[in-house]
Amino acid sequence: MKKLSIAVTTCLLLSTTVGAEKGEWVEWLADVQLSYADIENLNLSAFDDDSHQDQRLALDAVIGRFYQLDGLSRIHIALEFEAQKHQEFDRLDDVFLGANFGFRYKFGLGFYQPYLQFNANYGHKEVDYDVYSRDIFSSGIELGQHINNQLSIAASIDFTSTDGESGPNVVPELSSDVFSQSYFRASIYADYILAQDWLLSASYARREGDFHSACNTVNVAKVLEVEEVKAITKDKIFVGCVYKLDGSSNIFSASLSYSLTRHSAINLFIERYQGHADVLEYKNTSYSLSYNYRY
């Protein structure tokens, strides 16, 4: 499941409107988000008898600068910080620190001109349970446009690669490097202004590549019988094993936002993940309420 905090942070980072037509200028950006989420099937188990639910509190912050290169293009450079605290499974608590670079080109002057955006991100996620810690690199390209005063649409393709540490070996012939993964994600987005202070958003994403799942030792034996497991190691969080597979997933999300002031808003978000490997299906749903502030 792609984290809500990352999605919202990226949205905030890319959504600032640039009014200058000529000349070079610099503008600071600073975004903060506090969110509370309820997550069903937190461990993304394929089996109902050992899927776990939890609640999570997260704080996200971004600080950086925009540089307007000319009337049609700009870049941004930013630092990202994230901290997450889980209610039940506190060994999943983590801190993320990363850097973000982006370049945007607009195909002409005016509100309705399409834009092309390139992004690159690098960071490290440090999890209380060290096996889950990893470096994360991602890059992507996005094309978007305002259709009218109320509706805007965009599409993007992203590649993500993670580099983790190997855990204890539990199956001699298999790797234990579960958290070194790579995958592609193609997404489409739509934003619709319902009223002056209300925004409705929806997205669909298709993900292809590596993902991980955790389950108890009885169920992981069933997994090894029917799936081509790429890596597996012990898991002390959910008391069993965590393993890596190659698979596909459909991700549906929607959000409703209300603007409190010119600088702040509240956001209700839901995401549904539906994935599968060769035989088994992997599903989860998350609900989140967040407060967002932009300087």
Side-chain angles (χ1 to χ4, degrees):
M1 181 185 70
K2 192 176 181 65
K3 299 291 186 183
L4 168 64
S5 55
I6 296 176
V8 174
T9 297
T10 303
C11 178
L12 289 170
L13 192 62
L14 302 182
S15 63
T16 294
T17 301
V18 177
E21 294 184 357
K22 293 183 179 180
E24 179 178 335
W25 54 262
V26 178
E27 179 180 330
W28 284 99
L29 68 97
D31 297 325
V32 177
Q33 175 188 265
L34 181 64
S35 64
Y36 177 82
D38 185 90
I39 306 170
E40 298 176 357
N41 197 11
L42 177 68
N43 53 326
L44 202 62
S45 176
F47 305 94
D48 292 336
D49 60 356
D50 71 346
S51 64
H52 299 278
Q53 184 174 357
D54 200 2
Q55 291 74 46
R56 185 206 67 218
L57 186 66
L59 174 66
D60 298 88
V62 177
I63 185 168
R65 304 187 88 174
F66 286 109
Y67 296 84
Q68 188 74 16
L69 303 179
D70 54 39
L72 301 178
S73 58
R74 76 174 190 235
I75 63 173
H76 72 255
I77 302 172
L79 294 178
E80 301 180 358
F81 170 82
E82 173 192 277
Q84 297 190 97
K85 177 66 178 177
H86 289 261
Q87 181 173 325
E88 298 293 337
F89 298 95
D90 55 8
R91 297 196 72 179
L92 277 177
D93 295 350
D94 68 70
V95 174
F96 172 85
L97 184 63
N100 179 295
F101 170 82
F103 171 81
R104 173 176 288 202
Y105 178 79
K106 197 171 183 180
F107 296 92
L109 299 175
F111 184 71
Y112 296 107
Q113 296 297 326
Y115 67 86
L116 186 67
Q117 174 92 23
F118 170 79
N119 289 291
N121 302 267
Y122 177 78
H124 178 75
K125 182 184 288 288
E126 186 66 29
V127 186
D128 281 3
Y129 183 39
D130 288 341
V131 172
Y132 279 67
S133 299
R134 54 202 181 271
D135 295 324
I136 304 171
F137 171 78
S138 64
S139 61
I141 190 168
E142 177 181 316
L143 180 65
Q145 183 177 11
H146 291 282
I147 304 302
N148 54 44
N149 286 334
Q150 293 178 286
L151 177 65
S152 62
I153 59 173
S156 67
I157 298 177
D158 302 276
F159 173 75
T160 300
S161 176
T162 66
D163 183 18
E165 298 291 335
S166 298
N169 188 272
V170 295
V171 179
E173 63 271 21
L174 287 178
S175 168
S176 60
D177 192 6
V178 172
F179 292 97
S180 293
Q181 304 176 8
S182 61
Y183 60 87
F184 287 92
R185 178 179 171 123
S187 308
I188 55 175
Y189 315 89
D191 292 327
Y192 186 78
I193 299 175
L194 297 172
Q196 180 176 349
D197 296 322
W198 292 91
L199 176 68
L200 178 65
S201 302
S203 71
Y204 165 75
R206 177 73 174 184
R207 172 175 161 159
E208 298 280 348
D210 298 330
F211 70 98
H212 63 272
S213 169
C215 62
N216 60 41
T217 53
V218 173
N219 285 330
V220 82
K222 300 175 185 177
V223 174
L224 292 169
E225 291 178 1
V226 298
E227 296 289 356
E228 187 176 346
V229 175
K230 300 176 70 173
I232 187 170
T233 190
K234 291 182 180 179
D235 177 56
K236 296 182 180 180
I237 297 176
F238 303 106
V239 191
C241 296
V242 57
Y243 59 93
K244 177 173 68 175
L245 290 171
D246 180 72
S248 303
S249 61
N250 296 308
I251 306 168
F252 305 88
S253 66
S255 67
L256 181 64
S257 300
Y258 176 72
S259 177
L260 300 172
T261 69
R262 292 181 59 187
H263 296 278
S264 64
I266 55 173
N267 183 65
L268 179 63
F269 181 90
I270 180 173
E271 182 179 81
R272 175 65 174 171
Y273 177 102
Q274 298 177 332
H276 64 87
D278 291 333
V279 176
L280 298 174
E281 294 185 345
Y282 300 81
K283 301 178 181 180
N284 80 351
T285 304
S286 64
Y287 308 87
S288 179
L289 180 65
S290 68
Y291 170 80
N292 303 309
Y293 178 83
R294 157 161 282 185
Y295 172 74

